[in-house]
Amino acid sequence: MRSRVVREGVHVLAWLVTVAGAVGVGLHFSRSGFRPLVLAASGAPYLMAGSLLGAAAFAATRRWRGAAVAVVVVAAAIWTQVPLYVGGSGDESGPEVRVMQANLLFDGADPRALVDEVRARRIAVLTVNELTPAAVDALGRAGLNELLPHRYLSPGRTASGTGIWSTYPLTDTVEYDGYVLNQLSATATIPGVGPVSVFAFHPVPPVYGTGVWADELSRLRAILERASADRPALVGGDFNATYDHAQYRAMLSGRFGDAAEQAGAGHLVTYPTDKPWPPVVGIDHILVAGGRAAEVETVGLPGADHRALAARVRLNSR
């Protein structure tokens, strides 16, 4: 009797986790602005993983119909996630540029730690979010301006500030109006490549309002679509969206690619780092057009609530 109860319990659990996996697949494709669904999409890969447990549980209890359903869900889940792991081939002979994206948690991040990472990794282009005037001063004292002497900054109180530091001269600087947080772009002139568009983005999180969040992502995508197609481009930002948000992946439908996807780096979780548990979602991204990322990794940043991203990018030569 007890063994039968256990089998039935495993059977019910198998269906529950399989349904959770199917929900995860659905969330990956959902464009709904309903806040609970938008927030749940951040955890879609974890829900999808349930289908693996479901398939195993169905097989263990010899429930073959259930196993077949779970296998279909597993296949769909793998299909949504595999692009992050397979990478792709491309021209890797062009000039190399090392790019970093960092969210500073206002002026909470350790400025010397960030500067040390920039120096050690030979970063040439740095995009920064949540940049305050105090953080600008602290980074300057820590030596960032010597390493990256060209900059275009729009610091602000709390989360609004954004900045670009560069080894290369910056021209054509633009701050885009109509956003809650500051959105910037500039043109970097890179030897062997020529002009390269550089963007530093920070749309609001969906908890601010999913309608505003989706609208800002859409308008930032329009900015990228208007960018000069005859030159490469680099984008760094805290997008407050994961790869499993369709609203974020829409930015990748044109000539821009996600650096982690290009490099086959997998899920790079960056947030939050100020909790007792490890980071669980990847909302910081680097995008590339006119080139491809060969390597991307996360970087610990003491005092911040995000891990930074560092990418080695090969840009198309002139």
Side-chain angles (χ1 to χ4, degrees):
M1 179 68 178
R2 181 177 298 176
S3 62
R4 180 179 177 182
V5 171
V6 170
R7 285 198 303 272
E8 289 302 316
V10 170
H11 184 220
V12 170
L13 178 62
W15 275 115
L16 289 174
V17 294
T18 298
V19 169
V23 169
V25 173
L27 289 169
H28 176 86
F29 293 104
S30 172
R31 298 191 64 87
S32 171
F34 184 47
R35 179 178 294 183
L37 295 182
V38 170
L39 298 178
S42 300
Y46 300 105
L47 292 172
M48 293 182 203
S51 57
L52 289 169
L53 296 176
F58 280 126
T61 55
R62 300 179 182 273
R63 304 294 180 106
W64 303 119
R65 290 184 181 179
V69 172
V71 167
V72 170
V73 176
V74 168
I78 291 173
W79 185 72
T80 68
Q81 304 301 307
V82 74
L84 285 170
Y85 291 88
V86 299
S89 60
D91 181 12
E92 293 193 6
S93 62
E96 181 179 283
V97 178
R98 299 192 177 217
V99 183
M100 179 177 279
Q101 152 62 27
N103 183 310
L104 303 184
L105 185 59
F106 319 140
D107 48 8
D110 182 341
R112 189 163 298 280
L114 177 59
V115 172
D116 287 346
E117 291 290 351
V118 168
R119 181 184 296 109
R121 296 172 182 276
R122 293 179 289 138
I123 299 300
V125 176
L126 170 68
T127 58
V128 170
N129 301 129
E130 300 193 8
L131 178 68
T132 64
V136 172
D137 293 340
L139 289 167
R141 290 193 300 271
L144 184 60
N145 296 338
E146 284 71 39
L147 293 173
L148 303 176
H150 305 281
R151 56 183 182 163
Y152 176 47
L153 312 179
S154 180
R157 298 179 61 187
T158 62
S160 63
T162 302
I164 300 170
W165 272 267
S166 171
T167 299
Y168 315 106
L170 296 176
T171 58
D172 306 324
T173 56
V174 179
E175 180 169 357
Y176 298 94
D177 294 330
Y179 294 87
V180 177
L181 309 176
N182 301 341
Q183 322 291 332
L184 307 180
S185 71
T187 298
T189 302
I190 300 179
V193 180
V196 174
S197 299
V198 179
F199 299 88
F201 287 162
H202 193 191
V204 294
V207 293
Y208 182 92
T210 52
V212 179
W213 168 82
D215 176 66
E216 289 201 348
L217 285 171
S218 177
R219 288 190 288 128
L220 292 174
R221 175 190 176 190
I223 289 172
L224 297 184
E225 290 176 342
R226 293 194 300 268
S228 298
D230 60 350
R231 64 173 66 170
L234 300 167
V235 187
D238 169 4
F239 284 82
N240 280 306
T242 72
Y243 182 81
D244 287 285
H245 284 108
Q247 295 88 342
Y248 167 74
R249 293 196 312 280
M251 291 189 170
L252 313 178
S253 59
R255 68 191 189 100
F256 284 84
D258 185 290
E261 184 178 2
Q262 291 176 340
H267 285 86
L268 298 178
V269 292
T270 60
Y271 178 83
T273 61
D274 60 344
K275 301 293 188 290
W277 56 85
V280 293
V281 294
I283 58 176
D284 298 86
H285 305 280
I286 293 171
L287 278 59
V288 181
R292 66 182 302 105
E295 182 181 6
V296 188
E297 60 183 337
T298 64
V299 180
L301 193 56
D305 60 346
H306 291 237
R307 290 181 67 85
L309 281 182
R312 183 167 57 86
V313 178
R314 293 282 186 179
L315 295 177
N316 297 342
S317 55
R318 187 163 44 185

